Coordinates of all heavy atoms in Angstrom, one line a residue:
P78 N 47.9 11.1 98.2 CA 46.4 11.0 97.9 C 45.8 9.6 98.1 O 44.6 9.4 97.8 CB 46.4 11.5 96.5 CG 47.6 11.0 95.9 CD 48.7 11.1 97.0
Q79 N 46.6 8.6 98.4 CA 46.2 7.2 98.3 C 45.0 6.9 99.3 O 44.1 6.2 99.0 CB 47.3 6.2 98.6 CG 48.4 6.2 97.5 CD 47.7 6.0 96.1 OE1 47.0 5.0 95.9 NE2 48.1 6.9 95.1
G80 N 45.1 7.5 100.4 CA 44.0 7.3 101.4 C 42.7 7.9 100.9 O 41.6 7.3 101.1
V81 N 42.7 9.0 100.2 CA 41.5 9.6 99.6 C 40.9 8.7 98.6 O 39.7 8.5 98.5 CB 41.8 11.0 99.0 CG1 40.6 11.6 98.3 CG2 42.3 12.0 100.1
A82 N 41.8 8.1 97.7 CA 41.3 7.3 96.7 C 40.6 6.0 97.2 O 39.6 5.6 96.8 CB 42.4 6.9 95.7
A83 N 41.3 5.4 98.2 CA 40.7 4.2 98.8 C 39.4 4.5 99.5 O 38.4 3.7 99.4 CB 41.7 3.6 99.8
A84 N 39.3 5.6 100.3 CA 38.1 5.9 101.0 C 37.0 6.2 100.0 O 35.8 5.9 100.2 CB 38.3 7.1 101.9
A85 N 37.3 6.9 98.9 CA 36.3 7.3 97.9 C 35.8 6.0 97.2 O 34.6 5.9 96.9 CB 36.9 8.2 96.8
E86 N 36.6 5.1 96.9 CA 36.2 3.8 96.2 C 35.2 3.1 97.1 O 34.1 2.6 96.7 CB 37.3 2.9 95.9 CG 36.9 1.7 95.2 CD 38.1 0.9 94.6 OE1 39.3 1.3 94.9 OE2 37.9 0.0 93.8
A87 N 35.5 3.0 98.4 CA 34.6 2.3 99.4 C 33.3 3.1 99.5 O 32.2 2.5 99.6 CB 35.2 2.2 100.7
Y88 N 33.3 4.4 99.5 CA 32.2 5.3 99.6 C 31.2 5.1 98.4 O 30.0 4.9 98.5 CB 32.6 6.7 99.8 CG 31.4 7.7 99.8 CD1 30.7 7.9 101.0 CD2 30.9 8.3 98.7 CE1 29.6 8.8 101.1 CE2 29.9 9.2 98.7 CZ 29.2 9.4 99.9 OH 28.1 10.3 100.0
V89 N 31.8 5.1 97.2 CA 31.0 5.0 96.0 C 30.3 3.6 96.0 O 29.1 3.6 95.7 CB 31.9 5.2 94.7 CG1 31.1 4.8 93.5 CG2 32.4 6.6 94.6
L90 N 31.1 2.6 96.2 CA 30.5 1.3 96.2 C 29.3 1.2 97.2 O 28.2 0.6 96.9 CB 31.5 0.2 96.6 CG 31.1 -1.2 96.5 CD1 30.7 -1.6 95.1 CD2 32.2 -2.1 97.0
D91 N 29.4 1.8 98.4 CA 28.4 1.8 99.4 C 27.1 2.5 98.9 O 26.0 2.2 99.3 CB 28.9 2.4 100.7 CG 27.9 2.2 101.8 OD1 27.6 1.0 102.1 OD2 27.5 3.2 102.4
Q92 N 27.3 3.6 98.1 CA 26.1 4.4 97.7 C 25.2 3.6 96.8 O 24.0 3.9 96.8 CB 26.6 5.7 97.0 CG 27.4 6.6 97.9 CD 26.7 6.9 99.2 OE1 25.6 7.5 99.3 NE2 27.3 6.5 100.3
Y93 N 25.7 2.6 96.1 CA 24.8 1.9 95.3 C 23.7 1.1 96.0 O 22.8 0.6 95.4 CB 25.6 1.0 94.4 CG 26.2 1.7 93.2 CD1 27.5 2.1 93.2 CD2 25.4 1.9 92.0 CE1 28.1 2.8 92.1 CE2 26.0 2.6 90.9 CZ 27.3 3.0 91.0 OH 27.8 3.6 89.9
K94 N 23.9 0.9 97.3 CA 22.9 0.1 98.1 C 21.6 0.9 98.1 O 20.5 0.2 98.1 CB 23.4 -0.1 99.5 CG 23.5 1.1 100.4 CD 24.1 0.8 101.8 CE 24.2 2.0 102.6 NZ 24.9 1.7 103.9
F95 N 21.6 2.2 98.0 CA 20.4 3.0 98.0 C 19.7 2.8 96.7 O 18.4 2.7 96.7 CB 20.7 4.4 98.3 CG 21.3 4.7 99.7 CD1 22.7 5.0 99.8 CD2 20.6 4.5 100.8 CE1 23.3 5.2 101.0 CE2 21.2 4.7 102.1 CZ 22.5 5.1 102.1
I96 N 20.4 2.8 95.6 CA 19.8 2.5 94.3 C 19.2 1.1 94.2 O 18.1 0.9 93.8 CB 20.8 2.8 93.2 CG1 21.2 4.3 93.2 CG2 20.2 2.5 91.8 CD1 22.3 4.6 92.2
E97 N 20.0 0.2 94.7 CA 19.6 -1.2 94.6 C 18.3 -1.4 95.4 O 17.4 -2.1 94.9 CB 20.7 -2.1 95.3 CG 20.4 -3.6 95.3 CD 20.5 -4.3 94.0 OE1 21.1 -3.7 93.0 OE2 20.0 -5.4 93.8
S98 N 18.1 -0.8 96.6 CA 16.9 -1.0 97.4 C 15.7 -0.3 96.8 O 14.6 -0.6 97.0 CB 17.2 -0.5 98.8 OG 17.4 0.9 98.8
A99 N 16.0 0.7 95.9 CA 14.9 1.5 95.3 C 14.4 0.8 94.0 O 13.3 1.1 93.5 CB 15.3 2.9 95.0
L100 N 15.2 -0.1 93.4 CA 14.8 -0.7 92.2 C 13.7 -1.8 92.4 O 13.8 -2.5 93.4 CB 16.0 -1.3 91.5 CG 17.0 -0.3 90.9 CD1 18.3 -1.1 90.4 CD2 16.4 0.4 89.7
G101 N 12.8 -1.8 91.4 CA 11.8 -2.9 91.5 C 12.2 -4.0 90.6 O 13.3 -4.5 90.6
D102 N 11.2 -4.5 89.8 CA 11.4 -5.6 89.0 C 12.1 -5.3 87.7 O 12.5 -6.2 86.9 CB 10.1 -6.4 88.7 CG 9.5 -6.9 89.9 OD1 10.2 -7.3 90.8 OD2 8.2 -7.0 90.0
G103 N 12.2 -4.0 87.4 CA 13.0 -3.5 86.2 C 12.2 -3.7 84.9 O 11.0 -3.9 84.9
P104 N 13.0 -3.7 83.8 CA 14.4 -3.7 83.8 C 15.1 -2.3 84.1 O 16.3 -2.2 84.3 CB 14.8 -4.0 82.3 CG 13.6 -3.5 81.5 CD 12.4 -3.7 82.5
Y105 N 14.2 -1.3 84.2 CA 14.8 0.1 84.4 C 14.3 0.6 85.8 O 13.5 0.0 86.5 CB 14.3 1.0 83.3 CG 14.8 0.5 81.9 CD1 13.8 0.1 81.0 CD2 16.1 0.4 81.6 CE1 14.2 -0.4 79.8 CE2 16.5 -0.2 80.4 CZ 15.6 -0.5 79.4 OH 15.9 -1.1 78.2
F106 N 14.8 1.8 86.1 CA 14.5 2.3 87.4 C 13.0 2.5 87.7 O 12.5 2.2 88.8 CB 15.2 3.7 87.6 CG 15.4 4.1 89.0 CD1 16.7 3.9 89.6 CD2 14.4 4.7 89.8 CE1 16.9 4.2 90.9 CE2 14.6 5.0 91.1 CZ 15.9 4.8 91.7
F107 N 12.3 2.9 86.6 CA 10.8 3.1 86.8 C 10.1 2.1 86.0 O 9.0 2.4 85.5 CB 10.5 4.6 86.3 CG 11.1 5.6 87.2 CD1 12.1 6.4 86.7 CD2 10.7 5.8 88.5 CE1 12.7 7.4 87.4 CE2 11.3 6.8 89.3 CZ 12.3 7.6 88.7
G108 N 10.6 0.9 85.9 CA 9.8 -0.2 85.3 C 10.3 -0.4 83.8 O 11.5 -0.6 83.6
D109 N 9.3 -0.4 82.9 CA 9.6 -0.7 81.5 C 10.1 0.5 80.7 O 10.6 0.3 79.6 CB 8.3 -1.2 80.8 CG 7.9 -2.6 81.4 OD1 8.8 -3.3 81.9 OD2 6.7 -2.9 81.4
Q110 N 10.0 1.7 81.2 CA 10.4 2.9 80.5 C 11.8 3.3 80.8 O 12.1 3.7 82.0 CB 9.4 4.0 80.7 CG 9.8 5.3 80.1 CD 9.8 5.2 78.6 OE1 8.9 4.7 77.9 NE2 10.9 5.7 77.9
V111 N 12.7 3.3 79.8 CA 14.1 3.8 80.0 C 14.0 5.3 80.2 O 13.2 6.0 79.5 CB 15.0 3.4 78.9 CG1 14.6 4.1 77.6 CG2 16.5 3.7 79.2

């Protein structure tokens, strides 16, 4: 299973780029409201 684990770790890390690009000035996703 090691190949699956390594590929999944890289995939998960890469998915955060979409969240990062959608975030504004924060501190939360939609501004001041958690």
Side-chain angles (χ1 to χ4, degrees):
Q79 292 308 308
V81 173
E86 184 169 10
Y88 177 83
V89 169
L90 186 62
D91 188 58
Q92 296 309 297
Y93 279 99
K94 69 185 179 186
F95 299 107
I96 298 177
E97 180 76 14
S98 65
L100 288 171
D102 295 330
Y105 304 113
F106 203 98
F107 297 110
D109 293 331
Q110 176 62 50
V111 67

